[in-house]
Amino acid sequence: MIFIIPMIGPTVYFHSRREMLLIWIIHASQGFQTTMLFPLLVFMVEQFGMAGGSQQSIGQYAGILASLFPLAQFGTSWMWGAVSDRTGRKPWLAFGNIVSAVFALLLGLCKNYTAACTVRFLGGLFNGTTTITKSILGELCDESNQAKGFGMLNLAWGIGSVTGPVISGLLAQPCLQYGINHCPPFLQQYPFFLPCSVATAFSIAAVFASWSLKETNTQKLMYQQVACQNMELQDVIPSQDKIVYSLQPPEVKLENYYKVEKEIAGYVTDMESQSAMNFFANGVEQKDPKESEKLVSVALDDAKGGQACISKKDRSILLDRNVLLSSFCYSMIGLIFIITDELFPIFGAASTSVGGLGLSSSALGLILGEGGVVLFLYTLLLYPIVARNIGPLNCFRYGVILSVPLWILFPLSTILPSFPQLQWALLLAAMAARSVTACTTFTGVLILVSNSATPRSMGAVTGLSHSFCSFFRAIGPALGGMIWSYASKCAFPLHQFLAWLFVIVLSFCTFGLSFLLPPSLNRPKKSHLDM
């Protein structure tokens, strides 16, 4: 009896620099797309004439515009994850990047607030790139390289989310910002086109990167390439990721095109897939051939189950405590940092009369750029050491609590207008520390989410967590903007601290939630048999 089984679970060809570079480009482009709007929000609202010259109303309109992209992703992220579980990662990854390129260009051509809101919403609605990218990395990594892999993913997002505001701040409104004589009429009519065109170019590069990636969804290979007839599979799979073996009692023989010097119980040799070795170590290694055949038949039944099997798995994750808890913690981190991402440019650009810093868009871009440099160095040099010593759960927990002092330092800088050098030093130090805590916290919680999923439900779990996080990221900017506007209108003493104090409360709540997460999430689920 001949069986052909695609490899189940995460593989260890993560070490391919080419694959990681492609993932890095794709995820960085999404970080760029998501945050490029933040330095432009205040100036867009003013350009479109929505605030009527009222400094107090700008934060509210800016928050609504910033919310629409993640709000749309809240409605569709789980869908994109589940669809990619069934039909493969690559097509939808490329589709999402095409959507990003088109709608970024359209945003630069908007002439009014309503058009900008519509474009931003639709751009998030049809874009599942972030969900699928995380699923791909979850399938590529195992326990030995998770910290490094997700650290690089977080670095990609961090670099994209920093370069986005920097470039948009430097290129927006060039005629006004740089006093260009005889400025082209096109740039006068569309002052935000240049940063949006850069975002489009970045997303086009991500489209090519998407098509160059290997397909990592082994479930898709299983459904499309395995033909089941009377519990027998035909040897018709030309895939590079398959295991060909014959089950002929009393022995099990396996062959693989990849080689790893590993042997499990005398049955599994020359295999690259750690998860496949775990599968056979847990099941086929048993000496009883009938038991071995029973376990293999379970896997084959899963393959024949097709869409119905995955649909049941999609529903079951809603009952998984670890999935829901890790997803909610990820959402809370997303809420905290999206509020501060949006709050800092509003706070920085606002006039000193309403408690702001009165900085230009280029000055804001330089401060954010310094944070990007620190993020790059920390992720490459220090974070792997930290993660190796304390694990992802403690990375998440300590990162949250250590961010609390930073949310005081930012508004504290407003009391130093007479000491500009000290003010800048404080802002730069706070932004550098923020990059460190963001990397530590986000990478830790992303690993926890990935470890709560089995290989078969990776896309659905990642999509669910991103849907939760998108909802919080949607309400975050609007909430932060409204609190800032309310405090500005009331103008009570030190009112500029109010929005930041709200972030501190959220941080303490998230820190408390971290103690509900079990230590078992420090390690990945190795196969669907671990359920």
Side-chain angles (χ1 to χ4, degrees):
M1 187 178 295
I2 304 295
F3 299 92
I4 304 171
I5 302 291
M7 289 194 290
I8 303 172
T11 64
V12 294
Y13 51 81
F14 155 71
H15 62 269
S16 169
R17 293 182 180 180
R18 175 181 174 275
E19 295 297 304
M20 199 60 215
L21 176 61
L22 295 174
I23 292 174
W24 199 94
I25 292 172
I26 294 167
H27 205 57
S29 73
Q30 289 302 300
F32 191 103
Q33 285 274 359
T34 302
T35 60
M36 60 159 287
L37 190 63
F38 291 153
L40 310 181
L41 288 170
V42 172
F43 305 103
M44 273 190 166
V45 172
E46 290 178 342
Q47 175 75 21
F48 297 146
M50 292 301 297
S54 170
Q55 288 285 329
Q56 291 80 9
S57 300
I58 287 178
Q60 181 177 349
Y61 285 104
I64 292 172
L65 181 57
S67 312
L68 291 171
F69 185 85
L71 179 63
Q73 290 194 321
F74 162 67
T76 57
S77 289
W78 190 8
M79 179 196 75
W80 293 122
V83 167
S84 71
D85 275 342
R86 294 169 174 82
T87 60
R89 313 289 187 209
K90 285 179 61 174
W92 301 110
L93 194 62
F95 176 76
N97 284 298
I98 291 172
V99 167
S100 294
V102 171
F103 282 98
L105 195 64
L106 291 176
L107 182 64
L109 298 174
C110 290
K111 292 184 177 181
N112 56 68
Y113 183 79
T114 302
C117 289
T118 302
V119 166
R120 197 68 175 163
F121 182 82
L122 293 177
L125 192 67
F126 296 106
N127 184 358
T129 302
T130 302
T131 293
I132 299 171
T133 304
K134 293 174 185 174
S135 301
I136 290 174
L137 191 63
E139 291 164 335
L140 289 175
C141 291
D142 60 18
E143 187 175 1
S144 68
N145 53 32
Q146 269 191 331
K148 186 177 292 185
F150 279 93
M152 291 300 293
L153 190 74
N154 189 62
L155 174 62
W157 181 271
I159 295 299
S161 64
V162 168
T163 56
V166 170
I167 291 176
S168 60
L170 294 174
L171 297 182
Q173 298 178 304
C175 303
L176 179 63
Q177 185 172 188
Y178 300 110
I180 300 175
N181 295 324
H182 309 293
C183 191
F186 181 82
L187 293 181
Q188 294 181 23
Q189 188 175 6
Y190 302 103
F192 306 106
F193 178 80
L194 288 181
C196 292
S197 64
V198 173
T200 297
F202 204 166
S203 291
I204 290 173
V207 173
F208 289 105
S210 301
W211 283 117
S212 301
L213 275 171
K214 294 178 181 178
E215 177 60 63
T216 61
N217 183 3
T218 56
Q219 293 300 318
K220 180 246 187 181
L221 297 173
M222 188 180 294
Y223 298 147
Q224 292 187 348
Q225 299 174 334
V226 178
C228 296
Q229 292 182 353
N230 299 323
M231 290 301 296
E232 293 187 5
L233 300 176
Q234 306 301 317
D235 190 1
V236 294
I237 305 179
S239 168
Q240 74 269 24
D241 291 332
K242 65 179 182 179
I243 302 168
V244 182
Y245 67 95
S246 60
L247 183 59
Q248 296 177 340
E251 62 179 353
V252 177
K253 299 178 181 178
L254 298 126
E255 298 175 359
N256 195 301
Y257 297 124
Y258 300 109
K259 293 185 177 181
V260 169
E261 295 179 357
K262 182 94 175 178
E263 181 172 332
I264 297 180
Y267 288 102
V268 181
T269 60
D270 296 337
M271 295 179 61
E272 178 176 344
S273 171
Q274 181 66 47
S275 61
M277 287 191 284
N278 290 327
F279 174 82
F280 287 104
N282 292 333
V284 181
E285 74 166 346
Q286 301 186 34
K287 302 300 182 181
D288 185 356
K290 291 184 178 180
E291 183 66 20
S292 299
E293 184 171 5
K294 178 181 177 181
L295 288 168
V296 173
S297 296
V298 170
L300 294 174
D301 288 340
D302 285 350
K304 293 194 297 179
Q307 302 266 351
C309 177
I310 293 295
S311 296
K312 292 179 181 178
K313 189 62 60 179
D314 289 348
R315 291 192 295 270
S316 70
I317 66 175
L318 293 175
L319 305 176
D320 190 313
R321 179 178 180 272
N322 290 343
V323 169
L324 296 177
L325 270 176
S326 59
S327 296
F328 187 70
C329 286
Y330 173 50
S331 303
M332 289 295 290
I333 292 299
L335 176 63
I336 290 168
F337 281 92
I338 199 68
I339 289 177
T340 59
D341 281 343
E342 188 254 356
L343 186 60
F344 178 71
I346 294 177
F347 158 74
S351 68
T352 55
S353 62
V354 294
L357 295 172
L359 299 176
S360 66
S361 60
S362 57
L364 291 172
L366 290 175
I367 295 172
L368 293 170
E370 178 261 354
V373 173
V374 172
L375 176 67
F376 179 79
L377 295 175
Y378 174 75
T379 304
L380 290 182
L381 302 178
L382 294 179
Y383 176 75
I385 300 173
V386 173
R388 185 166 58 249
N389 285 299
I390 67 175
L393 180 55
N394 283 331
C395 281
F396 166 60
R397 185 175 294 157
Y398 297 153
V400 172
I401 199 64
L402 290 176
S403 69
V404 170
L406 305 179
W407 314 137
I408 293 292
L409 291 180
F410 284 111
L412 192 64
S413 63
T414 59
I415 68 175
L416 301 171
S418 302
F419 305 94
Q421 292 85 1
L422 184 59
Q423 185 182 63
W424 268 81
L426 184 62
L427 289 171
L428 291 173
M431 187 58 67
R434 181 195 178 280
S435 296
V436 170
T437 57
C439 174
T440 305
T441 307
F442 266 111
T443 306
V445 77
L446 284 173
I447 293 176
L448 297 178
V449 171
S450 180
N451 288 350
S452 72
T454 63
R456 191 171 60 186
S457 63
M458 184 65 71
V461 169
T462 306
L464 178 67
S465 66
H466 193 65
S467 288
F468 284 175
C469 190
S470 294
F471 175 74
F472 281 81
R473 281 176 169 164
I475 64 174
L479 196 57
M482 285 190 292
I483 295 175
W484 175 261
S485 295
Y486 169 77
S488 299
K489 290 175 182 177
C490 292
F492 50 83
L494 299 179
H495 62 271
Q496 67 269 29
F497 282 79
L498 182 61
W500 299 97
L501 288 174
F502 176 70
V503 175
I504 290 174
V505 172
L506 293 177
S507 299
F508 278 120
C509 291
T510 306
F511 179 70
L513 284 173
S514 70
F515 290 94
L516 299 178
L517 295 169
S520 61
L521 289 180
N522 281 315
R523 298 176 301 277
K525 289 183 178 179
K526 297 176 182 178
S527 78
H528 68 281
L529 295 177
D530 296 337
M531 289 292 286

